[in-house]
Amino acid sequence: MIGYEVDRGLLLRLMTYMRPSGGRTERKFCEIYLEPICGLPDDSGNYTLVLGDRPNVCFTSHYDTVHYSDGYQKVYMDGDFAKSDSDCLGADCTTGIWLMLGMIKAGVEGVYVFHAAEELGCIGSQALVYDYPSWLVEIDFVISFDRYGTDSIITEQMGGKTASKQFAKDLSKLLDLPQLKPDPTGVYTDSNSYASTVSECTNVSVGYYSQHTSKEKQDIPYAEMLLERLCKARWSTLASYRDPTLLEPSYRGSMSNYSYDSDEGEVADLVDLMSERPDQVAELLLSYGVDCDMLIRDLGLDEYTPDYNYGGAYEDSQIPF
C-alpha cells in the first residue's frame, strides 16, 4: 500500500491565495507550490508531471479561481467546513490541487496536469490537447478533481457523454466510496477538453459547495478521506469502455446549428441584460459550451484577442512528454 500524508494545514494555506487568472497572486502560488514539483509550465500555462512508466491515467485540476481581485484572504474552520469572508473560498479548484499534491507525494503513478485558465473557458486544457496531441495516445482516463458535493462521478458534459456509466461505477468501487454515483449533469470543465480523444473523462466530487459565491465552503473531513482513498486505489485495475470517436457531430458544435426567430424587443432585452451582468452571461454561455472561438466563427469576425495573460511570458517553457 502506498503511504500518504493528510496535511490539513496545507489545504487551508493554499486557499488563502486569491488567484484570478493572470494575476500576481496566481503567479506567486505557482512559483511556491507547482514549479518546485513540475518545473516550468508549457506555453499556455499548464504544469505537468509524469510519475511512472507510461501511465494511462491523467489526474487534473486547475490553479485559477474566480476571485475578483488578487491578494490573500483569511480562511477559517466552521465545524467541519472551511470558509472565508471574501467573494469566494476558491476550493474550486484548490481542493483538487491539494489532492494531486498529496497523491504526488505518495508516489501514485499517473500524468498530473495543473491547468491554466479553466475559469476563462478551459483555455489551458484546450491548448494542451490541441498543441500536444501525441501524449494522449497512452491515456485511457482523465480524472479531474473539480466537482461540487460528495456524490458525483460525471458521465456527461455539455449534453454529450464523456465517460461511461460502467466506468463511473467501477471508479466508485475502486475508491470504496459507494455514495459516488454516475452523474450526467456536468457542465463545462477541463476534462471535457479531452473527451474526443480519451475514452473515459470525468470529474469527481471533492466536497465543496456554493462554488463561485461568497457562501462557498469545503467539507474538510471528506477531502481528507478522499485523499486516503485516492492514494490507496489500485489504478491499474481500471477498465475503459467508451469509444471517444463516436461523439455526435454536434458535440461542441456551432451556434449556427440552432435557429430562433426573435423580434427587436427580445433582442433589446437581451442587450440590456448582458450590459448589466456581462460576467454572469459569459459564465452561462461557457457552461453551454459557447466559447470565444465559436462566437468569432459564427459572428464572422476576422480575429479577436482577449485581454488576459498568464502573469508574464515564461522563458524556456517545457512539457515532459
Side-chain angles (χ1 to χ4, degrees), residues 128-185:
L128 183 59
V129 171
Y130 299 148
D131 294 344
Y132 302 94
S134 60
W135 70 279
L136 293 172
V137 173
E138 305 287 340
I139 302 299
D140 295 315
F141 316 98
V142 172
I143 299 174
S144 184
F145 302 114
D146 185 13
R147 179 65 175 178
Y148 66 81
T150 59
D151 58 4
S152 291
I153 296 178
I154 293 300
T155 58
E156 295 183 26
Q157 299 180 60
M158 294 168 55
K161 185 175 290 185
T162 61
S164 65
K165 184 178 293 186
Q166 186 58 54
F167 165 76
K169 293 178 179 179
D170 290 351
L171 182 55
S172 174
K173 185 176 180 180
L174 179 72
L175 297 176
D176 192 23
L177 291 173
Q179 74 266 35
L180 291 174
K181 306 289 186 183
D183 183 352
T185 64

Side-chain angles (χ1 to χ4, degrees), residues 237-259:
T237 65
L238 275 180
S240 60
Y241 305 94
R242 189 183 73 95
D243 184 348
T245 67
L246 296 181
L247 293 172
E248 297 179 3
S250 61
Y251 188 82
R252 294 197 73 246
S254 168
M255 288 299 291
S256 60
N257 292 335
Y258 304 92
S259 62

Side-chain angles (χ1 to χ4, degrees), residues 62-115:
H62 63 88
Y63 59 82
D64 60 325
T65 63
V66 296
H67 287 99
Y68 291 131
S69 60
D70 272 339
Y72 302 89
Q73 64 185 0
K74 180 180 179 181
V75 176
Y76 61 92
M77 291 297 299
D78 182 3
D80 287 337
F81 290 91
K83 299 180 179 180
S84 76
D85 53 5
S86 72
D87 49 296
C88 76
L89 176 62
D92 171 10
C93 188
T94 307
T95 302
I97 293 173
W98 177 79
L99 290 168
M100 289 170 57
L101 292 176
M103 295 170 70
I104 291 170
K105 189 171 185 177
V108 178
E109 295 188 356
V111 178
Y112 292 83
V113 182
F114 301 88
H115 290 118

Side-chain angles (χ1 to χ4, degrees), residues 143-298:
I143 299 174
S144 184
F145 302 114
D146 185 13
R147 179 65 175 178
Y148 66 81
T150 59
D151 58 4
S152 291
I153 296 178
I154 293 300
T155 58
E156 295 183 26
Q157 299 180 60
M158 294 168 55
K161 185 175 290 185
T162 61
S164 65
K165 184 178 293 186
Q166 186 58 54
F167 165 76
K169 293 178 179 179
D170 290 351
L171 182 55
S172 174
K173 185 176 180 180
L174 179 72
L175 297 176
D176 192 23
L177 291 173
Q179 74 266 35
L180 291 174
K181 306 289 186 183
D183 183 352
T185 64
V187 281
Y188 184 46
T189 65
D190 285 320
S191 63
N192 183 75
S193 299
Y194 298 85
S196 63
T197 306
V198 176
S199 177
E200 308 288 0
C201 302
T202 189
N203 288 44
V204 175
S205 287
V206 301
Y208 59 70
Y209 296 87
S210 302
Q211 66 276 14
H212 296 193
T213 76
S214 60
K215 295 182 179 180
E216 185 179 8
K217 61 183 180 180
Q218 171 66 49
D219 184 335
I220 296 297
Y222 173 80
E224 293 173 337
M225 177 182 65
L226 180 58
L227 176 59
E228 175 188 355
R229 304 301 170 85
L230 293 169
C231 291
K232 290 181 177 180
R234 297 176 60 194
W235 294 102
S236 62
T237 65
L238 275 180
S240 60
Y241 305 94
R242 189 183 73 95
D243 184 348
T245 67
L246 296 181
L247 293 172
E248 297 179 3
S250 61
Y251 188 82
R252 294 197 73 246
S254 168
M255 288 299 291
S256 60
N257 292 335
Y258 304 92
S259 62
Y260 180 74
D261 295 326
S262 59
D263 60 32
E264 293 182 3
E266 290 175 320
V267 171
D269 289 344
L270 280 174
V271 170
D272 288 342
L273 178 59
M274 288 187 290
S275 298
E276 292 177 5
R277 302 195 174 187
D279 292 344
Q280 290 172 279
V281 172
E283 286 188 11
L284 185 61
L285 285 172
L286 288 171
S287 75
Y288 292 156
V290 181
D291 58 16
C292 277
D293 289 339
M294 186 184 300
L295 288 174
I296 291 168
R297 180 176 64 247
D298 291 346

